[in-house]
């Protein structure tokens, strides 16, 4: 990796002599790690997948841009979370406005989730999405809001003159299409324009000061952060999160702890809807045979079909994909960038999708057919939604490509909420498994009002979209925005502000695989988005004003949670909290794994943002009680695992692992555990403990 750390030119972008204008840029990073134990993860909808520790911490990476020529200000935040929702964004804006007035508002703040599937849920306030998490989880909700706010404040306070530059490069062997048969439904003339059935371009915007120092980087590459599969129980920002950490360490210095550097590098989501990082493709669980790509069925009873790779396990696969993204991003950073001259701009509108009627889009002629009209449907999920994907298979006997219904499942559906005859016609050929738009108990199951934004960064336009666009859906959206705006460059920023599931093309919708079954506003969902974003891009260029649209409803007073609280903690007889009950060995070398166990309190007792549950410390001088933190539970080489011993007695243990990386300086080290325990008579109290010293030779 040292070949990438172009030491003398680390701060310099070659060949850049453009003058800095009126642009100011600030960057900020803050910890948003949610509750790391006994809270379900958002993404795979697997009720058994709840947290038991930390693999990689979650961070919020904020970029504040101000154009002093036209008084435009905008905020883009990439968050290590499954997605962002209106409730979180609304509370973030409320707190920002208490501090800054109307400087930051509905029209100029974009929160984009990276889409990692290994982070706590319970924060969206749409019942279907919170249901697998057992409802609303206040700790997750508060953790995300607090960290996002902090990152924006840091970015606001560090505004400095800068310029923007664009670069891109092809990145191969890091993603595949997980629904290739659906992709083939798109017109042959359209597919012939593209070399691959997924996007292979990593796009990058970097922010550079007058003294040629990089202060921030945003990368977009189409890949699902699902290298960590649905058996994982440790909080993880997955492949894109680790790529961010790698790049921040390269620019800030390898000794910089994650989340502590001044240079902020995001790998944000884009049109990743049908894109998997599991490059070995789908194989049968026991036999290892390649699954039938259409049905995803295996020969043996109860043998699941799922994708994996390129590594031996999910941890190695995460590292390989992250390193590929990091290597490509650094390659782009080393190249001469395209100066993004021109003004800043942003336009935003809320859109009630079921009420939209628009002309359909012809992907071959790349025009709208003004002689016809198509519309949106009330939200509903199809049968193939329950089948899951090759990244995370679903439950029961649902299969991909289901276009007919089952009377038994329809009876279950109707007990929850029955679709109308109009709903059934509107969603065809999707058989409705869940009529989410009709379900009102205890509150709305899926959003009907979405958030749509278009950003202008000089010559680059960014379409911030409220869901997961498939590869071809994203390509069409880039085309219409480019045509409407005259922009040479267009990027999609996915899972922004509101989460409204998937967006498949009308042709892909006919196949009714997972992505189509999860396209909740019906077969013409993409047509509506294309027309809306063309309208937004045109209005942004022309400087015209659009109506803000209807605000999404607020359900904050109707929240339900079935997540049990932490009742109390107790230490085993003869021990105190923080006692090390399993000591490491005396001597270790590179690539050895140091392990230790501590008497622990429940990790949900304290969020510990900006702090950690586990740290690796090096003694600064012989025979001196001075120790320096060299790694934390945010680092790749550490794992913090919490395990319950007795729920009745309230006893538990924390296991800390540190795989010693090559190049670690020889010396004396120890593992340090921090936490909080809940006293049986009330009150939460901090504790800490550390191992005996050990030598790295």
């Amino acid at each position: 990796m040292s070949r990438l750390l172009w030491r003398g030119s680390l701060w310099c972008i070659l060949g850049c002599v453009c003058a800095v204008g009126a642009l100011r840029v600030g960057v900020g990073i803050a910890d948003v790690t949610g509750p790391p134990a006994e809270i379900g993860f958002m993404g795979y909808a697997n009720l058994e997948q709840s947290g038991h520790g930390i693999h990689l911490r979650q961070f919020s990476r904020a970029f504040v841009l101000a154009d002093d020529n036209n008084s435009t200000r905008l905020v883009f935040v990439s968050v290590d979370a499954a997605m962002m929702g209106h409730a979180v964004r609304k509370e973030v804006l409320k707190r920002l406005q208490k501090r800054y007035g109307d400087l930051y508002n509905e029209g100029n703040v974009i929160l984009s989730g990276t889409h990692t599937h290994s982070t706590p849920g319970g924060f969206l306030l749409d019942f279907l999405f919170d249901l697998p998490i057992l409802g609303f989880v206040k700790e997750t909700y508060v953790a995300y809001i607090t960290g996002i706010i902090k990152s924006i404040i840091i970015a606001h306070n560090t505004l400095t003159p800068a310029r923007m530059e664009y670069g891109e490069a092809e990145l191969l062997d890091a993603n595949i299409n997980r629904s290739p048969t659906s992709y083939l439904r798109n017109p042959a003339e359209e597919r012939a324009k593209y070399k691959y059935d997924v996007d292979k371009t990593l796009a990058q915007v970097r922010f550079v000061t007058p003294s040629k120092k990089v202060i921030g980087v945003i990368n977009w590459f189409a890949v699902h952060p699902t290298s960590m599969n649905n058996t994982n129980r440790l909080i993880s920002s997955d492949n894109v999160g680790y790529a961010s950490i790698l790049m921040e360490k390269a620019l800030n210095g390898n000794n910089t702890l994650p989340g502590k550097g001044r240079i902020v590098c995001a790998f944000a989501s884009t049109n990743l809807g049908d894109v998997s990082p599991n490059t070995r493709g789908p194989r049968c669980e026991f036999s290892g045979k390649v699954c039938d790509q259409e049905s995803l069925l295996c020969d043996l009873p109860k043998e699941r079909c799922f994708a994996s790779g390129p590594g031996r396990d999910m941890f190695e696969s995460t590292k390989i994909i992250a390193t590929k993204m990091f290597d490509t991003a650094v390659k782009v950073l080393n190249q001469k960038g395209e100066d993004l001259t021109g003004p800043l701009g942003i336009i935003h509108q809320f859109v009630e999708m079921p009420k939209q009627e628009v002309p359909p889009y012809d992907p071959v002629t790349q025009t709208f057919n003004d002689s016809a009209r198509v519309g949106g449907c009330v939200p509903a999920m199809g049968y193939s939604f329950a089948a899951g994907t090759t990244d995370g298979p679903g439950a029961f006997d649902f299969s991909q490509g289901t276009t007919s219904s089952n009377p038994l499942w329809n009876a279950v559906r109707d007990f929850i909420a029955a679709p109308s005859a109009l709903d059934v016609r509107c969603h065809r050929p999707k058989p409705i498994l869940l009529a989410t738009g009709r379900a009102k108990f205890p509150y709305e199951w899926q959003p009907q009002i979405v958030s749509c934004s278009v950003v202008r960064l000089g010559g680059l336009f960014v379409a911030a979209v409220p869901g997961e666009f498939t590869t071809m859906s994203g390509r069409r959206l880039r085309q219409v925005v480019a045509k409407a705006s005259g922009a040479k460059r267009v990027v999609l920023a996915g899972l922004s502000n509101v989460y409204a599931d998937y967006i498949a093309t009308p042709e892909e919708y006919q196949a009714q695989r997972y992505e189509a079954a999860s396209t909740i506003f019906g077969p013409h969902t993409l047509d509506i988005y294309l027309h809306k974003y063309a309208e937004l891009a045109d209005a942004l260029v022309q400087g015209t004003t659009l109506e803000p649209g209807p605000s999404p409803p607020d359900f904050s007073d109707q929240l339900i949670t079935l997540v049990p609280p932490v009742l109390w903690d107790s230490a085993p007889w003869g021990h105190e909290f923080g006692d090390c009950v399993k000591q490491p060995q005396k001597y270790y070398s590179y690539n050895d794994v140091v392990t230790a166990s501590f008497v622990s309190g429940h990790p949900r007792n304290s969020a510990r943002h900006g702090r950690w549950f586990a740290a690796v410390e090096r003694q600064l001088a012989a025979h001196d009680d001075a120790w320096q933190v060299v790694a934390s539970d945010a680092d790749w080489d550490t794992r913090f695992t919490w395990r319950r011993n007795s729920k009745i007695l309230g006893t538990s243990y924390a296991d800390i692992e540190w795989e010693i990386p090559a190049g670690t300086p020889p010396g004396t080290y120890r593992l340090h555990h921090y936490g909080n325990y809940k006293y049986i008579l009330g009150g939460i109290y901090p504790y800490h403990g550390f191992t005996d010293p050990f030598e790295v030779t």
Side-chain angles (χ1 to χ4, degrees), residues 47-350:
L47 288 169
E48 296 180 358
Q49 192 189 20
S50 62
H52 287 281
I54 297 174
H55 170 233
L56 293 171
R57 279 186 171 268
Q58 302 169 253
F59 292 101
S60 171
R61 294 173 171 90
F63 303 82
V64 174
L65 285 70
D67 186 339
D68 294 334
N69 278 339
N70 61 12
S71 300
T72 295
R73 187 172 291 227
L74 62 91
V75 179
F76 179 80
V77 186
S78 179
V79 187
D80 289 330
M83 64 281 291
M84 282 290 101
H86 175 68
V88 169
R89 182 170 180 260
K90 183 177 180 180
E91 185 63 27
V92 166
L93 290 173
K94 178 181 176 181
R95 298 189 188 190
L96 285 174
Q97 287 168 354
K98 282 185 177 180
R99 180 181 287 258
Y100 300 114
D102 199 42
L103 187 62
Y104 303 112
N105 52 66
E106 290 277 16
N108 65 3
V109 174
I110 296 171
L111 307 183
S112 173
T114 62
H115 203 39
T116 169
H117 285 36
S118 292
T119 53
F123 63 94
L124 286 171
L125 275 68
D126 291 302
F127 190 66
L128 179 68
F129 303 139
D130 287 347
L131 187 59
I133 323 297
L134 301 182
F136 175 68
V137 180
K138 186 175 181 180
E139 296 114 298
T140 308
Y141 182 70
V142 171
Y144 290 177
I145 291 168
T146 303
I148 292 169
I149 287 287
K150 184 177 180 180
S151 68
I152 294 174
I153 291 172
I154 294 171
H156 174 93
N157 291 337
T158 57
L159 281 167
T160 188
R163 65 171 178 270
M164 302 177 291
E165 295 175 357
Y166 177 84
E168 62 181 38
E170 187 177 70
L171 171 53
L172 302 178
D173 301 321
N175 59 0
I176 62 170
N177 196 307
R178 70 184 187 192
S179 288
T181 54
S182 291
Y183 179 86
L184 292 174
R185 294 284 189 120
N186 295 304
E189 301 95 324
E190 182 182 31
R191 289 186 280 111
K193 299 174 184 176
Y194 303 99
K195 187 176 180 180
Y196 304 104
D197 62 0
V198 293
D199 287 339
K200 300 287 187 179
T201 298
L202 182 144
Q204 181 183 102
V205 173
R206 60 207 184 213
F207 305 102
V208 187
T209 68
S211 59
K212 300 181 181 180
K213 289 185 177 181
V214 177
I215 59 174
V217 183
I218 308 175
N219 303 283
W220 288 275
F221 180 69
V223 68
H224 250 81
T226 49
S227 293
M228 302 294 290
N229 62 42
N230 66 4
T231 67
N232 173 47
R233 298 293 186 269
L234 302 178
I235 285 178
S236 178
S237 55
D238 213 293
N239 47 46
V240 292
Y242 186 43
S244 296
I245 291 172
L246 286 172
M247 196 167 191
E248 286 165 349
K249 278 183 172 288
L251 296 180
N252 289 297
N254 275 329
N255 292 329
T256 305
L257 295 173
K260 302 298 184 181
R262 293 186 177 182
I263 303 171
V264 177
C265 305
F267 283 77
S269 61
T270 181
N271 56 318
L272 49 70
D274 54 358
V275 188
S276 171
N278 297 306
T279 53
R280 290 181 60 215
R283 294 177 180 269
C284 294
E285 184 176 10
F286 306 125
S287 66
K289 294 180 180 179
V290 175
C291 310
D292 179 270
Q293 190 63 256
E294 184 64 27
S295 64
L296 301 180
L297 297 177
C298 296
D299 296 333
L300 299 176
K302 296 185 178 180
E303 187 178 21
R304 297 178 303 167
C305 171
F306 61 87
S308 63
R312 294 165 297 179
D313 58 28
M314 60 183 169
F315 294 98
E316 186 178 55
S317 294
T318 299
K319 188 172 187 177
I320 291 171
I321 298 299
T323 303
K324 285 178 179 289
M325 287 190 283
F326 163 65
D327 287 347
T328 305
V330 170
K331 174 185 173 183
V332 175
L333 197 63
N334 269 315
Q335 297 170 350
K336 182 178 179 179
E338 175 186 327
D339 189 43
L340 294 176
T341 56
L344 288 184
I346 185 168
I347 190 168
H348 172 269
Q349 190 175 53
F350 285 117

